Amino acid sequence: MIKKTCTTFFLALNLLFASSLVYSAQVWDLYNFKVQPGKAPAVLKAFNDLQTSEAGSNRIASVHLQQSVFGGSSGTTHSIVALYPSRAEFERARMALAGTKAWRKFQAAMGANSEAINNSAMETLMGWGTVSNKDTVWEAIRVNVTNPGAVVAAFNALMASESTEAFPGEVWLSAISYGNAADGDVATHVITVGYESMAEMEAWNDQIQKTQAWADFGAALQGNMRTVNRELVQFLSVFDHQMSLENLKQ
């Protein structure tokens, strides 16, 4: 009986995460901060100094400093996002950076000008739309998913419809591997949607929300996913160290 139960449990896990098996190596990390009033320029300088140093640039990663426009978790005002081609590269880069003069200087500056809020680690599962380095305005929608297969099917149907042929941005579904950057609930996944500007985002939302495809999408998500938090962020500084957003596979 125990053996049968364990087999059933692991089969369920395999089915639950089947969509992540192809591109499971792509990862990104989120570090949230509450910057003291008037100290944003100091944080920007500290970030830029680290990225331009030999120690900070010795990695395969795309690193972004972003400002939370609306909805930052637990008072978050700024965040650092780091994209890596694999967790192995993250580990190598982390160990190489630790203890260096550039890293100690960065930590001192961040400690003097901001408060660390929380962090989390994600794994990209699937993506739709056109990946572009020009996308600097992002919606981050943290969700609790109870039926991943149904959610992926809903996205596939929406993005394959005629209504989304003119979609100007990109959308990603990622699993939260470690940590929880949401308030008041448990987020299992995060949906990130990128645009070149808020004007582009607004125009697209006005258009898509009037379609039957959007109504069908909402109906398909009912009972399979609930929203935990929605955040709007804008990039302030981006450094591509041997890779960029456009290197990620959908």
Side-chain angles (χ1 to χ4, degrees):
M1 178 63 69
I2 294 177
K3 182 177 181 181
K4 182 178 180 181
T5 301
C6 289
T7 301
T8 303
F9 173 73
F10 285 113
L11 176 60
L13 283 181
N14 287 336
L15 291 174
L16 181 66
F17 295 107
S19 61
S20 71
L21 296 179
V22 178
Y23 301 126
S24 60
Q26 295 181 165
V27 298
W28 58 283
D29 302 326
L30 172 69
Y31 305 88
N32 288 330
F33 298 90
K34 182 177 181 180
V35 176
Q36 297 172 14
K39 300 298 184 178
V43 168
L44 176 60
K45 183 180 185 305
F47 175 82
N48 289 344
D49 286 348
L50 176 64
Q51 303 311 315
T52 55
S53 71
E54 181 178 356
S57 60
N58 181 25
R59 49 182 161 169
I60 302 174
S62 181
V63 190
H64 315 150
L65 174 65
Q66 59 191 32
Q67 178 183 17
S68 179
V69 181
F70 293 108
S73 173
S74 300
T76 294
T77 63
H78 294 73
S79 302
I80 294 174
V81 170
L83 314 175
Y84 291 92
S86 68
R87 191 53 68 191
E89 172 56 22
F90 161 78
E91 180 182 38
R92 186 206 65 78
R94 177 172 174 268
M95 294 177 66
L97 188 60
T100 65
K101 181 178 179 180
W103 180 246
R104 293 196 304 271
K105 181 181 177 182
F106 172 74
Q107 287 184 306
M110 294 299 291
N113 296 291
S114 69
E115 172 190 353
I117 300 297
N118 52 34
N119 57 58
S120 53
M122 274 64 61
E123 173 187 337
T124 63
L125 301 181
M126 298 186 71
W128 302 264
T130 303
V131 184
S132 173
N133 291 332
K134 295 180 181 179
D135 291 334
T136 60
V137 172
W138 289 80
E139 291 181 284
I141 307 163
R142 294 175 181 87
V143 295
N144 183 287
V145 176
T146 53
N147 188 339
V151 171
V152 171
F155 269 105
N156 282 336
L158 174 66
M159 300 310 296
S161 69
E162 292 183 1
S163 299
T164 59
E165 289 180 353
F167 176 52
E170 59 189 284
V171 56
W172 294 88
L173 175 64
S174 300
I176 300 178
S177 303
Y178 306 100
N180 183 356
D183 292 327
D185 201 350
V186 175
T188 62
H189 294 71
V190 58
I191 300 164
T192 46
V193 193
Y195 303 91
E196 290 188 14
S197 66
M198 293 185 195
E200 182 180 78
M201 176 185 70
E202 184 177 42
W204 171 251
N205 286 335
D206 286 345
Q207 174 183 332
I208 190 62
Q209 291 175 10
K210 298 174 183 177
T211 67
Q212 184 61 45
W214 182 257
D216 293 342
F217 176 67
L221 294 179
Q222 286 291 327
N224 297 312
M225 184 188 86
R226 68 176 183 273
T227 300
V228 175
N229 185 47
R230 295 177 65 97
E231 184 179 8
L232 181 65
V233 304
Q234 191 162 26
F235 290 174
L236 297 178
S237 183
V238 175
F239 284 85
D240 292 329
H241 305 303
Q242 304 181 62
M243 72 168 285
S244 73
L245 180 64
E246 293 180 354
N247 293 122
L248 293 185
K249 301 175 182 177
Q250 293 182 319

